[in-house]
Amino acid sequence: MAKNENSCQSLIPSFLYSSSVGSRNGGVLQQPKLWPSSNSGDHGVLSENFVIPAPMEKIEMYSPTFYMACTAGGILSCGLTHTAITPLDVVKCNMQIDPSKYKTISSGFGVLLKEQGVRGFFRGWAPTLLGYSAQGACKYGFYEFFKKYYSDIAGPEYAAKYKTLVYLAGSASAEIIADVALCPMEAVKVRVQTQPGFARGLADGMPKIVRAQGYSGLYKGIVPLWGRQIPYTMMKFASFETIVEQIYKNVIPTPKDQCSKTLQLGVSFAGGYAAGILCSIVSHPADNLVSFLNNAKGATAGDAIRQLGVWGLFTRGLPLRLFMIGTLTGAQWVIYDAFKVFVGLPTTGGAAPAPVAKA
């Protein structure tokens, strides 16, 4: 029975562990009662001092398993959130491409509903799911890798002193790779969402682009995509790490490792939402440019600037994107950190690395 009992306990995620009930003996959590006492009248009900002990083994930080877990968390974080806001993305892209028709957020939803029905709100969901899942895998997995890699190059003292530069360099390096994975799906998504009749979705949309423009057509927007996503991701990770560190330092009086997992995930959402607003502002001109180039065959960046204007590049569709990306980024950090907690890893951010003491 004890063997089966321990086997079951090892399957329970760490955020369900409790030390508020039960007692410790010499620093070791006592074995829980997994069945009712024979003196208890509550047969079939767990004992009141039921405790789930933490497993003895956790994922080793910066091991291959650690990076695999971060990659899986990134897939869930980006793939699910971007797919969930597909209706907002459809309206936003159409406001950028045809502002005379899609003048405001509310009227944009109305026009879309009238012309394409409810299904119109979910156009391009398949390339969105696949593209942003691949991007999330690379974005988060390689960010954790490059953050450690650049910290090791700098050494503990300089990594602590210039931690923001480490965050910026690590996130930029990760995003370069992530956008190579995203770009083909982004090209299909924008066409499907902004050109009714172009294709029903990914299955017929991608072959149509390849036949017309070759495989290079799928990467037509890679440079403006880098222009949008690299500043976005640098701001997303560096500002998140900084904001979360400041929240734990100046707002929450309790050290992070003593905070509940629920509170830590709340901090992740707050830091993520604030970071998302900053991300939207720095990356919005390139976002307008990506939408314009993927929609207009043979168009150049100069054509986009002449048609949209500099002011239009910075402001067209911005209010909706501020709300969309703020919510999106907050949700992404919660999902990512919740997955890390689920597999026994700490949440992201909250403490600056300690410098090495000088001899």
Side-chain angles (χ1 to χ4, degrees), residues 2-305:
K3 183 177 180 180
N4 292 336
E5 179 181 314
N6 292 333
S7 177
C8 292
Q9 292 161 12
S10 68
L11 298 176
I12 300 173
S14 61
F15 62 80
L16 294 178
Y17 308 148
S18 172
S19 58
S20 61
V21 272
S23 59
R24 290 184 178 271
N25 183 12
V28 179
L29 197 62
Q30 291 182 348
Q31 287 294 324
K33 296 180 181 179
L34 295 178
W35 55 86
S37 169
S38 59
N39 297 325
S40 171
D42 299 327
H43 295 289
V45 181
L46 294 177
S47 171
E48 288 184 358
N49 61 347
F50 169 69
V51 174
I52 302 173
M56 297 301 294
E57 296 182 3
K58 290 184 182 256
I59 294 175
E60 180 184 352
M61 292 293 289
Y62 310 117
S63 64
T65 305
F66 167 79
Y67 293 118
M68 288 174 62
C70 294
T71 298
I75 291 172
L76 294 173
S77 172
C78 292
L80 295 178
T81 51
H82 277 278
T83 305
I85 62 166
T86 296
L88 283 173
D89 193 35
V90 173
V91 174
K92 185 265 299 181
C93 286
N94 279 283
M95 288 177 67
Q96 293 172 329
I97 298 302
D98 193 355
S100 61
K101 184 176 182 181
Y102 296 86
K103 296 179 180 179
T104 65
I105 298 172
S106 57
S107 67
F109 275 102
V111 170
L112 197 64
L113 180 63
K114 182 179 179 181
E115 293 189 353
Q116 302 182 37
V118 175
R119 293 182 63 180
F121 292 120
F122 297 94
R123 294 181 65 85
W125 71 267
T128 297
L129 175 61
L130 295 178
Y132 283 95
S133 293
Q135 186 213 35
C138 298
K139 185 196 296 276
Y140 284 90
F142 280 111
Y143 171 68
E144 298 287 1
F145 171 81
F146 283 118
K147 184 168 68 169
K148 174 69 163 58
Y149 178 74
Y150 292 138
S151 295
D152 288 345
I153 291 176
E157 183 176 358
Y158 286 106
K161 185 176 181 180
Y162 301 107
K163 58 183 180 294
T164 301
L165 293 179
V166 172
Y167 302 150
L168 291 170
S171 56
S173 300
E175 191 60 38
I176 290 173
I177 300 170
D179 288 345
V180 174
L182 170 64
C183 194
M185 297 298 173
E186 182 76 359
V188 178
K189 177 186 79 74
V190 172
R191 291 283 189 90
V192 170
Q193 289 179 344
T194 60
Q195 296 181 11
F198 170 75
R200 293 187 301 275
L202 176 63
D204 56 338
M206 181 172 284
K208 196 168 184 177
I209 293 176
V210 172
R211 285 195 300 269
Q213 303 177 39
Y215 285 100
S216 63
L218 296 174
Y219 285 93
K220 174 184 175 182
I222 187 65
V223 173
L225 187 62
W226 278 330
R228 179 188 79 184
Q229 289 297 130
I230 292 175
Y232 168 90
T233 301
M234 292 171 71
M235 181 65 75
K236 173 179 178 176
F237 283 90
S239 61
F240 173 82
E241 297 260 17
T242 302
I243 291 168
V244 167
E245 181 181 337
Q246 292 304 312
I247 289 175
Y248 283 114
K249 183 184 294 184
N250 301 311
V251 179
I252 299 176
T254 308
K256 178 186 174 182
D257 58 1
Q258 298 177 24
C259 295
S260 68
K261 296 302 182 185
T262 302
L263 179 57
Q264 290 185 35
L265 293 177
V267 171
S268 294
F269 179 78
Y273 201 102
I277 291 174
L278 298 175
C279 293
S280 301
I281 295 172
V282 301
S283 65
H284 195 66
D287 184 62
N288 273 319
L289 193 60
V290 169
S291 295
F292 185 91
L293 292 178
N294 280 323
N295 183 71
K297 184 177 180 179
T300 65
D303 295 331
I305 295 173

